[in-house]
Amino acid sequence: MTADQALKSKHRAMWAMGDYAAVAAEVIPSLGPLLAEAVGAGPGTRVLDVAAGSGNAAIPAAAAGADVVATDLCPELLDAGAELARRRQVDLTWQVADVEALPFGDDAFDTVMSCVGVMFAPQHAVSAGELVRVCRPGGTVGLVNWTPEGFIGQMFATMKPYAPPPPPGAQPPPLWGSEAHVRELFGDAVTEVVAQRRALRVEVFPTAEAFLEFFKRTYGPTIAVYRAIAERPDDVAALDEALLDLARRHDTGGGAMDWEFLLYVGRIR
């Protein structure tokens, strides 16, 4: 197994941990429909959702009438999404695929999108190149990603000292939430860009402790970090307290938090 294959296997296993479908459905359900609407998904459009997870954006796009292919590195997440789509009586295609090496021809889609997904692929420029390659000239690229300064970006910064070192060449996921970084990644390939920082109101955690328990149980990256320090109880306690402090600082009252994200929509030149 090559180093790249080993890394992909590790990422696949990480996202299979816990229950990301619960995060998508219970914590961030509005992000997917927002992105599907922003890219104009509808009848007559062929849409690719990369790093689609359980279909938070793919299912609303298909429900709006688009011909959708949802891809992800993790088959378990696609299985969860397929079940959700079946229950909602929405038809779309589910396919295991790596965003850094998409198994589609050039100019194959009218729209390529990703909802807090592509940001977790380690090689940002490679992923951006693939998004451009498979989207036709004049087509739409649409992304929602957590910003470095927002709650989730700060959560990753908080966990970083406790996590194993990233592989060589891997870039931090929240960089995809920086407009300057995304513009640099796409360069002249994408034009007519509209980029907006927005806030997602999260009101499902009455306390900081409720947030921490949920993320330690459901969210793959959090689970992976805690597993890495499981034999170091002092580090576990320190990370617990750091994440609780983060949640308390973002509490706007009654457990409500605003999680900042970047909505980016552009057109392939």
Side-chain angles (χ1 to χ4, degrees):
M1 180 182 292
T2 67
D4 185 64
Q5 289 172 328
L7 176 61
K8 302 299 183 184
S9 179
K10 184 178 180 180
H11 272 214
R12 188 179 299 114
M14 179 186 73
W15 288 106
M17 296 175 184
D19 186 2
Y20 182 73
V23 178
E26 299 174 30
V27 185
I28 61 169
S30 63
L31 284 187
L34 181 152
L35 179 58
E37 181 178 358
V39 299
T45 59
R46 181 160 167 77
V47 176
L48 175 65
D49 187 2
V50 301
S54 53
N56 194 24
I59 294 174
D67 177 11
V68 179
V69 178
T71 65
D72 199 276
L73 195 63
C74 180
E76 291 86 352
L77 292 183
L78 295 179
D79 289 344
E83 176 58 23
L84 283 172
R86 186 194 64 79
R87 293 206 303 263
R88 298 177 189 177
Q89 298 183 316
V90 177
D91 292 326
L92 65 156
T93 300
W94 304 87
Q95 182 172 342
V96 175
D98 178 3
V99 67
E100 294 182 353
L102 291 169
F104 307 107
D106 297 353
D107 309 336
F109 296 90
D110 302 302
T111 299
V112 179
M113 64 179 185
S114 184
C115 183
V116 295
V118 69
M119 62 186 294
F120 294 104
Q123 301 180 81
H124 294 189
V126 175
S127 297
E130 283 293 88
L131 300 186
V132 170
R133 181 184 67 79
V134 300
C135 191
R136 66 168 175 81
T140 301
V141 173
L143 307 170
V144 164
N145 291 307
W146 303 118
T147 67
E149 301 83 5
F151 179 78
I152 295 296
Q154 289 300 298
M155 185 184 78
F156 276 94
T158 300
M159 295 192 298
K160 183 178 179 180
Y162 303 91
Q171 293 178 279
L175 277 179
W176 275 95
S178 162
E179 180 183 346
H181 181 68
V182 180
R183 284 183 179 270
E184 181 180 356
L185 288 174
F186 288 127
D188 293 337
V190 178
T191 185
E192 299 180 34
V193 171
V194 177
Q196 302 172 334
R197 285 181 179 241
R198 297 191 183 184
L200 173 71
R201 175 52 64 101
V202 176
E203 298 180 291
V204 296
F205 305 117
T207 63
E209 288 78 9
F211 151 77
L212 182 59
E213 186 280 328
F214 183 87
F215 265 65
K216 288 174 72 171
R217 175 171 51 84
T218 63
Y219 196 58
T222 306
I223 295 170
V225 171
Y226 273 98
R227 286 189 180 181
I229 61 173
E231 304 302 319
R232 309 200 305 266
D234 289 348
D235 283 351
V236 171
L239 181 55
D240 278 349
E241 190 51 45
L243 290 174
L244 288 170
D245 178 65
L246 178 71
R248 290 171 184 139
R249 285 189 281 112
H250 280 78
D251 188 340
T252 61
M257 294 185 279
D258 291 322
W259 293 4
E260 188 181 62
F261 64 91
L262 178 73
L263 172 64
Y264 172 101
V265 179
R267 194 165 301 282
I268 299 297
R269 191 180 296 276

